[in-house]
């Protein structure tokens, strides 16, 4: 259950009330182990600068349900078993139920996530730089 704790944007999630667990304070070197063990990753963000959790989950082959913010619309496009849709409790519940009912819900998302890897992004930045320098002559 989410509830306001006084100030704007000061929200908490009572995971126990929903039978869920949330994790915090995980060493960054251990995040991938937890991510790979997940049945699904839900990203109900109203606003997302980029959306790294979506890519991390895809890289582990974990199904994602995300709102159409940040990288999600592009990264989830065409990957069976992932959902990119506005937040609606009933719709998200149905999508999660379908994932959880699958005996092997893993998705083929590693290739899509690789497009956003730091090496791929660096190569694109270098290509733009070189093209600009060559055009400037």
């Amino acid at each position: 259950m989410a509830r306001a704790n006084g100030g704007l944007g000061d929200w908490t999630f009572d995971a126990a009330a929903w039978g869920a667990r949330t994790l915090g304070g995980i060493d960054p070197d251990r995040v991938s182990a937890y991510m790979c063990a997940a049945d699904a990753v839900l990203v109900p963000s109203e606003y997302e600068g980029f959306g790294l959790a979506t890519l991390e989950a895809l890289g582990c082959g974990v199904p994602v349900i995300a709102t159409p913010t940040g990288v999600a619309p592009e990264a989830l496009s065409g990957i069976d078993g992932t959902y990119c849709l506005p937040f609606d409790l009933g719709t998200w519940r149905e999508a999660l139920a379908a994932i959880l009912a699958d005996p092997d819900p893993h998705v083929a998302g590693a290739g899509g996530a690789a497009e956003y890897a730091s090496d791929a992004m660096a190569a694109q930045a270098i290509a733009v730089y070189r093209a600009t320098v060559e055009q400037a002559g």
Side-chain angles (χ1 to χ4, degrees), residues 8 43-44 55-56 92 100 103-104 108 114 118 125-126 131:
L8 283 176
V43 186
L55 296 178
E56 290 172 330
W92 277 50
L100 297 177
D104 182 15
S118 58
I126 290 169

Side-chain angles (χ1 to χ4, degrees), residues 13-104:
F13 175 73
D14 184 357
W18 290 90
R21 286 189 345 181
T22 59
L23 303 172
I26 297 172
D27 184 310
D29 292 335
R30 302 281 304 143
V31 170
S32 64
Y34 283 94
M35 186 72 73
C36 289
D39 294 318
V41 170
L42 283 62
V43 186
S45 305
E46 289 186 28
Y47 305 100
E48 191 71 58
F50 184 69
L52 192 56
T54 296
L55 296 178
E56 290 172 330
L58 288 178
C60 293
V62 174
V64 177
I65 303 173
T67 50
T69 60
V71 74
E74 186 175 334
L76 300 177
S77 178
I79 300 175
D80 292 337
T82 66
Y83 301 86
C84 185
L85 34 97
F87 182 77
D88 171 77
L89 183 59
T91 305
W92 277 50
R93 182 181 57 231
E94 289 174 16
L96 182 58
I99 290 170
L100 297 177
D102 188 333
D104 182 15

Side-chain angles (χ1 to χ4, degrees), residues 100-133:
L100 297 177
D102 188 333
D104 182 15
H106 288 90
V107 298
E115 293 179 36
Y116 300 94
S118 58
D119 289 345
M121 292 291 159
Q124 290 176 355
I126 290 169
V128 169
Y129 180 78
R130 284 184 178 154
T132 303
V133 169

